[in-house]
Amino acid sequence: MTMTSDRPVRVLCIVGARPNFMKIAPLMRAFAAMPGRVDAQLVHTGQHYDEAMKDAFFRQLQIPEPDIDLEVGSGTHAQQTAEIMRRFEPVVDELSPDVVLVVGDVNSTIACALVAAKKGIAVVHVEAGLRSWDRQMPEEINRVLTDQISDLLFTTESDAADNLQREGIDADRIHFVGNVMIDTLLANRERAVPAETTLQGISGFDGDSEHFGLITLHRPSNVDDPIVLRRLIKTLAELSSNLPLVFPIHPRTQARIEEAGLSEVLAESRIALTAPLGYLDLLGLMARARLVLTDSGGLQEETTALGVPCITLRENTERPVTVEQGTNTIVGTDADKIRSVFKDTLNTGGKSGRVPELWDGHAAQRIAEILVNWVSNQVRAA
Ligand code: UD1
């Protein structure tokens, strides 16, 4: 790292896919509040590009327009990762940042971290150390590899540091700071679109804002396997007779449901489909839902922060604090187990939990302070 201590730290922040946007928003705000100390620029890789998957989030979360859009679009994992790397390298050469900051576990995270690390630029990983221990999950590969090549690692829950240290990462590079996704949730809670408003706009929804549940599904292990997808959709369709369900549908899930011939099952159920929702719309729905059925990592955390019961349709979670302290129950994809936990949750009101340590809305400020001090110390040590 070559810099003098009297100019701002140049931080190149990376986003690519929908869950990254919620994580970068408070960081960009925290950096903007440190003029003279930090000069932050934003690169969007273009992994997610649709209005509903990208622009709506930038607008609603008031994220500054990216300084650079690599416009990579969709592809296989190898194609997408390689294309991001190819297009990101000249950007790094031109901007010559002091650090590249990546968030989460998507393909954009590992691709940009790898480019930076090979160029000798410090990599900062926000949301480090989460492990599902399931290497079938593309995100698990991205997490393990990104952490290995990161210089500074910020964690959201206390177990994450143990995971990192077991993998040989020095404790002095790991900082437990809380959860930037929850910074965004707390900052926007009051601005959320009322559930009534969103529900009125969803055709086919026959419940009311006091009595509905929310579904999201997009993990390849659930939606790319037609047998698992059929079992899940049929079970959820059956359960919707007890509680009307709203299902904002991810583009990959939409495509797989059509390919598997499951559209009819949904049409005959009390599941109301809608296009992917904006952040403030989904937050409003989540906060009022009787329960949430999901395979999303982000929703497991958001429901814990909101105190809403979450039934996770996966065999594992990389976010165990949501189970140990929060409202999350890991159920898997077995129809009987889903039925049983669903009915129990409806009858009892579900698991009550508490908000995990440091999920207090100030993670981004902590990260910004630690990051700037760390870079200054590196400079002094050089
Ligand atoms: C990606 C992340 C996943 C994250 C999810 C959130 C990886 C490995 N996966 O999965 O961790 O939970 O984002 O949504 O990075 N598509 C569109 N419009 C878009 C983007 C995608 O229609 O704006 C369609 C394309 O057909 C594409 C498919 O969705 O092929 C999958 O997109 P991709 O970014 O490859 O993965 P996700 O499933 O979204």
Side-chain angles (χ1 to χ4, degrees):
M1 194 178 308
T2 52
M3 66 170 282
T4 56
S5 49
D6 54 4
R7 67 157 174 80
V9 176
R10 285 201 290 265
V11 184
L12 193 53
C13 301
I14 312 298
V15 287
R18 189 168 57 173
N20 292 166
F21 306 142
M22 289 80 111
K23 293 169 194 166
I24 215 70
L27 287 163
M28 294 307 287
R29 226 183 338 274
F31 292 142
M34 300 166 91
R37 294 178 70 203
V38 179
D39 171 13
Q41 288 195 292
L42 184 61
V43 172
H44 174 44
T45 64
Q47 179 174 346
H48 284 176
Y49 43 84
D50 282 345
E51 153 70 29
M53 301 290 282
K54 185 232 158 193
D55 301 280
F57 287 80
F58 272 70
R59 234 185 358 262
Q60 290 192 341
L61 299 177
Q62 297 160 331
I63 304 170
E65 268 306 301
D67 297 281
I68 290 158
D69 188 339
L70 303 178
E71 297 181 345
V72 292
S74 304
T76 66
H77 284 264
Q79 284 165 352
Q80 191 173 58
T81 309
E83 199 53 35
I84 296 169
M85 290 180 70
R86 210 176 61 77
R87 296 187 191 195
F88 184 53
E89 183 169 44
V91 173
V92 176
D93 287 339
E94 192 194 322
L95 299 180
S96 116
D98 300 307
V99 301
V100 166
L101 180 147
V102 295
V103 297
D105 54 17
V106 302
N107 287 343
S108 303
T109 309
I110 178 63
C112 294
L114 194 49
V115 171
K118 290 274 183 90
K119 289 188 167 289
I121 292 170
V123 176
V124 176
H125 187 203
V126 174
E127 202 187 82
L130 298 180
R131 295 289 180 271
S132 65
W133 315 112
D134 174 5
R135 296 250 172 132
Q136 301 290 321
M137 241 184 131
E139 293 80 3
E140 184 76 353
I141 309 282
N142 294 343
R143 291 181 199 117
V144 170
L145 298 182
T146 302
D147 287 337
Q148 275 300 320
I149 54 173
S150 290
D151 296 275
L152 198 53
L153 301 98
F154 292 108
T155 62
T156 52
E157 51 182 271
S158 53
D159 284 1
D162 301 334
N163 298 338
L164 292 170
Q165 284 181 261
R166 256 198 307 274
E167 292 172 14
I169 293 166
D170 286 347
D172 60 5
R173 289 196 277 138
I174 306 168
H175 298 268
F176 173 37
V177 287
N179 193 326
V180 284
M181 190 145 210
I182 304 307
D183 288 4
T184 293
L185 184 142
L186 296 176
N188 290 285
R189 183 85 210 257
E190 303 298 315
R191 298 174 63 226
V193 177
E196 291 78 1
T197 311
T198 307
L199 292 171
Q200 268 163 23
I202 298 177
S203 81
F205 176 70
D206 71 346
D208 61 60
S209 57
E210 302 300 320
H211 192 67
F212 73 97
L214 182 66
I215 307 172
T216 80
L217 274 184
H218 74 284
R219 292 252 100 78
S221 57
N222 281 339
V223 305
D224 290 356
D225 179 339
I227 296 174
V228 178
L229 183 62
R230 174 168 295 272
R231 186 165 72 235
L232 283 172
I233 295 295
K234 286 195 141 186
T235 309
L236 296 172
E238 174 201 314
L239 293 173
S240 70
S241 63
N242 302 95
L243 180 71
L245 298 171
V246 176
F247 187 3
I249 192 156
H250 185 286
R252 79 178 292 133
T253 311
Q254 171 94 53
R256 298 295 180 268
I257 284 177
E258 284 162 21
E259 283 160 24
L262 289 165
S263 306
E264 191 74 359
V265 177
L266 284 168
E268 285 166 4
S269 74
R270 289 179 82 198
I271 297 177
L273 292 187
T274 175
L277 293 170
Y279 181 79
L280 296 175
D281 312 76
L282 192 72
L283 177 56
L285 281 191
M286 208 173 359
R288 293 284 294 281
R290 296 283 291 273
L291 52 83
V292 173
L293 297 135
T294 191
D295 59 10
S296 150
L299 265 73
Q300 292 174 54
E301 294 186 338
E302 289 164 339
T303 46
T304 274
L306 291 166
V308 171
C310 181
I311 300 175
T312 295
L313 305 172
R314 284 175 45 189
E315 306 298 339
N316 52 50
T317 181
E318 61 286 340
R319 300 159 206 270
V321 77
T322 61
V323 177
E324 288 152 15
Q325 298 180 23
T327 55
N328 191 14
T329 308
I330 303 296
V331 176
T333 64
D334 177 78
D336 286 338
K337 277 198 201 146
I338 299 171
R339 278 187 203 106
S340 146
V341 175
F342 180 97
K343 288 185 180 154
D344 191 53
T345 304
L346 263 193
N347 292 338
T348 64
K351 209 173 148 179
S352 57
R354 64 187 161 90
V355 177
E357 190 184 354
L358 295 183
W359 289 20
D360 59 0
H362 301 293
Q365 283 114 302
R366 290 186 197 105
I367 291 171
E369 275 303 327
I370 295 169
L371 172 53
V372 172
N373 290 334
W374 181 80
V375 175
S376 311
N377 287 339
Q378 298 290 109
V379 172
R380 270 198 289 276

